[in-house]
Amino acid sequence: MRICHGLAGYTLEVEDRELEWRKPADVVRLHASSQWRVEADDLIVLASGGGTLGPNCSSEAVGHGRDVFFFVRSDLDPKADVPTDRLALDPGGSASAASSSFQPAGAAEEDDDLPRDPAFEAFRANIAEARGRLAEAQPVAALAAQARTRLEVQQLAVQAVLDNLASQRATCSRSLALFFRKYEKVQEKLEQNLSRAETSMAALAAVALRPALQGSERESLADAVPRERILRFTAGVQALGTAPATGCPGAASEPR
């Protein structure tokens, strides 16, 4: 398994045998804390393919030889002050080592027996200048190679994030579809109940009150309920069902 710093592009190879007694998430937290001084609780860990690496995820689910990307949650805050040394190339690393160890062939060889001819002197000067240019370009080339490697890791990390977002979007779409189906059923049931308001009032009017409960304007159950208030309420609810939706821009519910 390869642990990758999603923002900086650093990588760390982990032997598979380490996963035999530890969960992959624990391995990532351990190495992120020891290698990059990152708090374990400040990590977001994604596997290649976009899946979230949870604490109960097994090594079999992650697979062998796969990449695991971690992101520092606090560094993703737009207002966070991210230390530049986390993202900068390491000038004291492989590039400097390559510069110090670079020695062109024949650099230490000087043939003093050659005749002091002006043409040879100019030729020697050109060789010395070329060696100097090569010595200057070597660390830049090493930095470029290092930057390319880190950029490739960052591209893989971006793809993992995009895959994760696509999965989250699909899950959200399914949840919304289920919600709207349930909403339509509830709305249909509500409309059926509202449409029966007049029928229910007529049924109440057919039920006479007991003589002891009757009055000058109260002879049936319909006279004992606030008919006008109920009808105004049902009319208002029905009007809300046909009004344009304001929760989402550009969305409107069709009249039912």
Side-chain angles (χ1 to χ4, degrees):
M1 184 177 71
R2 186 172 69 161
I3 301 175
C4 306
H5 193 308
L7 293 180
Y10 299 123
T11 61
L12 177 66
E13 293 287 345
V14 177
E15 296 183 1
D16 291 338
R17 63 183 182 182
E18 188 173 350
L19 299 173
E20 295 178 359
W21 66 86
R22 284 197 182 104
K23 296 287 187 181
D26 296 333
V27 174
V28 173
R29 292 190 183 96
L30 176 64
H31 288 287
S33 178
S34 60
Q35 185 77 14
W36 293 289
R37 302 185 302 277
V38 177
E39 294 293 336
D41 296 335
D42 199 23
L43 294 180
I44 300 174
V45 185
L46 299 179
S48 55
T52 303
L53 193 66
N56 298 323
C57 184
S58 63
S59 57
E60 290 78 9
V62 175
H64 298 288
R66 295 186 62 184
D67 293 334
V68 174
F69 306 92
F70 74 86
F71 303 86
V72 183
R73 184 179 286 103
S74 58
D75 290 348
L76 299 178
D77 186 355
K79 299 180 181 179
D81 186 12
V82 181
T84 56
D85 58 348
R86 291 189 184 179
L87 305 178
L89 291 172
D90 184 11
S94 59
S96 298
S99 175
S100 61
S101 62
F102 176 73
Q103 186 75 12
E109 297 179 1
E110 292 291 342
D111 192 354
D112 294 333
D113 296 335
L114 291 176
R116 297 294 180 178
D117 186 270
F120 280 103
E121 292 296 331
F123 183 66
R124 283 183 174 181
N126 292 336
I127 292 178
E129 183 179 0
R131 289 171 177 170
R133 298 298 183 186
L134 287 174
E136 293 175 359
Q138 188 69 13
V140 177
L143 281 176
Q146 183 185 5
R148 178 180 179 180
T149 302
R150 291 176 59 181
L151 181 60
E152 291 174 352
V153 174
Q154 290 170 340
Q155 289 176 337
L156 293 175
V158 169
Q159 186 60 49
V161 172
L162 292 176
D163 293 340
N164 180 265
L165 292 176
S167 176
Q168 296 287 348
R169 181 177 181 179
T171 302
C172 182
S173 298
R174 289 194 299 268
S175 299
L176 286 176
L178 291 174
F179 169 77
F180 281 119
R181 282 201 292 268
K182 292 181 179 180
Y183 166 77
E184 289 175 354
K185 292 181 180 179
V186 172
Q187 185 69 16
E188 182 179 357
K189 186 68 174 179
L190 176 61
E191 290 177 354
Q192 291 176 358
N193 293 332
L194 292 176
S195 63
R196 289 198 294 264
E198 289 288 353
T199 305
S200 300
M201 289 295 178
L204 291 176
V207 180
L209 293 173
R210 297 176 59 182
L213 299 177
Q214 292 181 359
S216 58
E217 297 181 356
R218 189 171 58 187
E219 297 180 353
S220 64
L221 285 177
D223 299 329
V225 297
R227 174 187 175 87
E228 297 300 328
R229 288 175 56 188
I230 293 175
L231 294 179
R232 284 198 305 269
F233 172 76
T234 55
V237 173
Q238 288 175 332
L240 288 176
T242 58
T246 58
C248 298
S253 60
E254 297 181 357
R256 297 182 179 275

